[in-house]
Amino acid sequence: MAQIIDGKKISSDVKMMVAKEAKALTQKGINICLAVVIVGDDPASRVYVNSKKKACELVGFESREFALDKNTTEQELLNLVDKLNADDTVNGILVQLPLPKQIDENKIIERISPLKDVDAFHASNVGKIMIGDYNFLPCTPSGCMDLIKSTGVKITGKNAVVVGRSNIVGKPMAMLLLHESATVTICHSKTKDLAKACKEADILVAAVGVPKLIKGDMIKEGAVVIDVGMNRLEDGKLCGDVDFESAKEVAGYITPVPGGVGPMTIATLMRNTLTAAKIQNGITE
Ligand code: L34
């Protein structure tokens, strides 16, 4: 029976640390502000953005929301990004994805100043991560690494399998595991024998967006299983990419959905915003 990795608790510890540092900065007259941009009325995005605003409040940041109509043009959004880049009172800029189809996400991401790119999605930040010399890590993969480390299982030399190859989760996740000296395999929709690959994993990260794709019989006894999936079923219930019920019988450690990776994404965003503010204020420890 697997031990449940408590993302809520671990994320709350991260936020407490951020709050403590933010308070010290405030006492020096440095206020920290995150600009949160949401376009359209996707209900899931609304939930996540609200959680981000709430987390800002908790750690003592200002959050400034920019809620734009679903028909906003690419140019209008670019103009807003330019304005936020130029605003010295804004330390971090978060444009919640996905964006409506008339807007090219890459174009928006590339317009955000890399110093304010608290998602670490900008090509220059992605490149820095690849090299291993970076200021920010993307929130979800970084949160996953913290969850893996919380188990005490050593990563060096282990077989790590990442299912999913998105720019936002799969690819950077693989890179972070590689930095910690895991032997990393990336699986995706064209992988020939997914079950066989997963079964080799000491550390398994599922980030594909297919509900309950990973079953217990695909998991190695005692493995660390991190479920990034955030699928809403027809009954309104959230479910991960891992079939929790069968997986928990085999895994050594497993994250629940909800209460696993999601809260860590938000806590890491707070940590990145703090880092951005420190860099922008010339504080280097
Ligand atoms: N720019 N867009 C940008 N940055 C991000 O880091 C994100 N992401 C993903 C979607 N778009 C983004 C998020 O914020 C996914 N994501 C995210 C954040 C938080 C949660 C889930 C996804 C979360 O808090 N999940 C809760 C359950 C929430 C619910 O009930 O719906 C959990 O406990 O997992």
Side-chain angles (χ1 to χ4, degrees):
M1 202 39 186
Q3 219 166 296
I4 311 290
I5 306 175
D6 188 346
K8 267 207 159 132
K9 163 80 175 71
I10 300 165
S11 66
S12 147
D13 292 347
V14 171
K15 284 186 283 189
M16 293 249 288
M17 267 160 51
V18 172
K20 208 172 138 209
E21 275 203 60
K23 196 170 169 202
L25 289 181
T26 309
Q27 281 163 354
K28 287 191 202 160
I30 298 169
N31 289 309
I32 303 175
C33 172
L34 176 67
V36 182
V37 182
I38 176 169
V39 186
D41 40 25
D42 178 63
S45 293
R46 180 34 78 194
V47 171
Y48 307 151
V49 161
N50 285 351
S51 302
K52 290 171 184 187
K53 286 165 59 186
K54 223 171 100 198
C56 281
E57 206 174 303
L58 183 82
V59 302
F61 299 170
E62 181 195 342
S63 70
R64 234 174 269 169
E65 180 180 299
F66 298 83
L68 306 184
D69 185 84
K70 63 176 187 311
N71 297 318
T72 299
T73 64
E74 187 176 277
Q75 193 54 52
E76 284 167 334
L77 185 54
L78 287 169
N79 291 345
L80 173 61
V81 170
D82 287 343
K83 201 180 88 185
L84 297 172
N85 282 339
D87 185 341
D88 287 339
T89 66
V90 170
N91 303 105
I93 301 171
L94 176 123
V95 179
Q96 187 70 19
L97 304 181
L99 291 169
K101 56 180 179 329
Q102 73 274 17
I103 302 178
D104 180 348
E105 284 181 0
N106 282 332
K107 227 165 149 178
I108 303 301
I109 289 168
E110 291 314 302
R111 192 71 155 246
I112 296 172
S113 159
L115 287 172
K116 296 188 179 185
D117 171 37
V118 285
D119 271 321
F121 290 166
H122 191 285
S124 108
N125 286 323
V126 174
K128 283 175 179 232
I129 292 161
M130 187 80 119
I131 292 163
D133 177 20
Y134 47 78
N135 297 316
F136 315 112
L137 290 175
C139 299
T140 300
S142 172
C144 291
M145 290 306 286
D146 287 342
L147 293 174
I148 295 166
K149 288 176 183 170
S150 78
T151 65
V153 169
K154 293 276 165 288
I155 302 172
T156 301
K158 295 287 164 60
N159 287 334
V161 173
V162 179
V163 187
R165 55 173 155 180
S166 71
N167 287 332
I168 289 175
V169 184
K171 283 188 214 168
M173 188 70 225
M175 193 55 56
L176 299 192
L177 287 161
L178 181 62
H179 286 164
E180 302 277 343
S181 302
T183 301
V184 184
T185 305
I186 304 176
C187 296
H188 44 77
S189 54
K190 301 288 188 293
T191 295
K192 287 245 167 65
D193 193 341
L194 179 66
K196 182 162 172 260
C198 289
K199 196 100 190 166
E200 299 279 312
D202 303 304
I203 299 165
L204 181 62
V205 181
V208 264
V210 180
K212 301 187 186 184
L213 176 70
I214 312 291
K215 314 276 186 220
D217 61 6
M218 298 163 74
I219 293 171
K220 182 174 174 177
E221 190 82 39
V224 178
V225 177
I226 306 292
D227 190 351
V228 183
M230 193 64 55
N231 312 293
R232 195 159 300 268
L233 301 178
E234 273 172 28
D235 63 4
K237 270 200 186 157
L238 272 185
C239 125
D241 293 346
V242 177
D243 178 32
F244 187 82
E245 287 311 311
S246 64
K248 76 175 194 311
E249 302 300 326
V250 191
Y253 302 87
I254 188 166
T255 61
V257 177
V261 173
M264 286 306 291
T265 296
I266 293 174
T268 308
L269 175 67
M270 298 301 112
R271 198 164 57 199
N272 284 351
T273 306
L274 174 72
T275 302
K278 283 165 73 175
I279 294 170
Q280 288 156 26
N281 283 282
I283 301 166
T284 54
E285 66 1 290

